[in-house]
Amino acid sequence: LVLLLRVCLALLASPIYLLYFLGIWEPFCRKVVFPFLLEKIGVFHDKKSKKYKQELFRNLPDFRGPSGALRLLEIGTGSGSNFQFYPPGCKVTCTDINPHFQEDLAKNMKKNQHLQYEEFLVAAGEDLGQVPSGSVDVVVCTLVLSTGHDHPTHCKKTLCSQGGAFYFLEHVAAEHSSWRYFWQQVCYPTWKLVFAGCCLTRELWKNLEEAKFSELKIQHISIAMPWMPIEQHIVGYGVK
């Protein structure tokens, strides 16, 4: 049944698949479609997740380095919706594999003058050779890990200073016995095309556990997203 419904969905989205096989879809999606969808969905998701982010980032100042400043690297910054939750004086380095968010990012930078912005790097989360090893106190990922391969382990080993922290808020696979998981399996191939490689069925808490942080706090939460298969989330942080 899953395969049958996948085929039906693929037929409905056949123009997208055709453009993909012609090599046209991916650059068009990253430049136009994905930023547009993320902007529209992001506004709704930000409202729903605000209370969780406020609680999540409450203890960020505890990870300030010896200099007294908090050096923060955000992977997959997008439009910068997390800036409002960072403490005053925080030194922020922004990275994103997609350079087409910079207009909205600039707007959010102007709104959040309490931060110090270091630089913007166009790079994938698993390819941050431009960031020196152990050079940041905190790494932040929100709605990013579903498209990466091994961000938690990479960030723990190479980016965070000793005693630094890796913060996350991510959508994850639903309970396997649920209808939502069934629809995640149905939608996954087409969803991945439309949302720039996003995987609906990743059990990301397992990746975090495998990274072997000295301390790991994970909370499973529900963020209702009507008509979307991404209700289940995890939120928390790990300490190197």
Side-chain angles (χ1 to χ4, degrees):
L1 182 58
V2 168
L3 290 175
L4 176 62
L5 291 172
R6 277 184 177 179
V7 171
C8 292
L9 186 57
L11 288 173
L12 290 172
S14 56
I16 293 176
Y17 281 87
L18 177 61
L19 292 174
Y20 174 77
F21 288 119
L22 292 174
I24 299 171
W25 174 255
E26 191 168 348
F28 176 70
C29 178
R30 290 192 180 278
K31 185 175 182 179
V32 179
V33 179
F34 185 55
F36 173 79
L37 290 175
L38 200 63
E39 179 189 0
K40 301 303 179 186
I41 296 171
V43 171
F44 184 74
H45 190 276
D46 287 343
K47 289 179 180 178
K48 292 283 187 176
S49 63
K50 185 174 182 177
K51 64 179 181 180
Y52 297 110
K53 288 184 178 182
Q54 287 174 330
E55 182 61 31
L56 173 64
F57 296 126
R58 193 182 303 277
N59 68 341
L60 273 176
D62 295 347
F63 294 98
R64 286 194 176 102
S67 66
L70 180 68
R71 301 165 302 170
L72 185 149
L73 170 71
E74 182 166 357
I75 297 176
T77 307
S79 62
S81 62
N82 290 331
F83 292 162
Q84 60 183 301
F85 304 107
Y86 299 157
C90 180
K91 296 182 177 181
V92 181
T93 297
C94 307
T95 76
D96 205 296
I97 194 172
N98 191 335
H100 302 292
F101 291 106
Q102 292 194 48
E103 185 177 339
D104 289 332
L105 181 64
K107 292 178 183 177
N108 265 324
M109 284 179 170
K110 288 180 181 179
K111 290 179 183 177
N112 293 279
Q113 294 293 319
H114 65 290
L115 305 177
Q116 297 179 40
Y117 300 102
E118 302 290 287
E119 57 183 330
F120 178 87
L121 305 174
V122 179
E126 59 270 22
D127 185 26
L128 290 172
Q130 302 168 75
V131 182
S133 178
S135 63
V136 297
D137 304 305
V138 170
V139 177
V140 174
C141 286
T142 57
L143 301 184
V144 173
L145 298 179
S146 61
T147 59
H149 299 291
D150 199 11
H151 290 341
T153 301
H154 175 64
C155 291
K156 173 180 174 287
K157 287 183 176 179
T158 63
L159 300 178
C160 283
S161 58
Q162 190 62 38
F166 178 73
Y167 283 75
F168 54 88
L169 189 154
E170 300 288 338
H171 68 80
V172 295
E175 188 71 36
H176 284 204
S177 60
S178 67
W179 275 107
R180 189 172 293 274
Y181 184 72
F182 172 83
W183 286 111
Q184 284 180 334
Q185 290 180 295
V186 170
C187 295
Y188 169 62
T190 302
W191 179 279
K192 188 176 180 179
L193 279 182
V194 175
F195 288 90
C198 174
C199 177
L200 288 170
T201 56
R202 284 195 72 180
E203 297 174 329
L204 291 168
W205 61 90
K206 294 182 180 179
N207 299 88
L208 290 157
E209 290 165 355
E210 289 167 1
K212 299 187 185 303
F213 289 96
S214 63
E215 179 185 354
L216 179 61
K217 295 189 176 182
I218 300 179
Q219 181 184 1
H220 289 256
I221 61 173
S222 176
I223 298 178
M225 299 288 290
W227 306 106
M228 298 192 71
I230 57 170
E231 182 173 330
Q232 282 68 35
H233 289 65
I234 56 171
V235 60
Y237 66 91
V239 180
K240 182 174 179 179

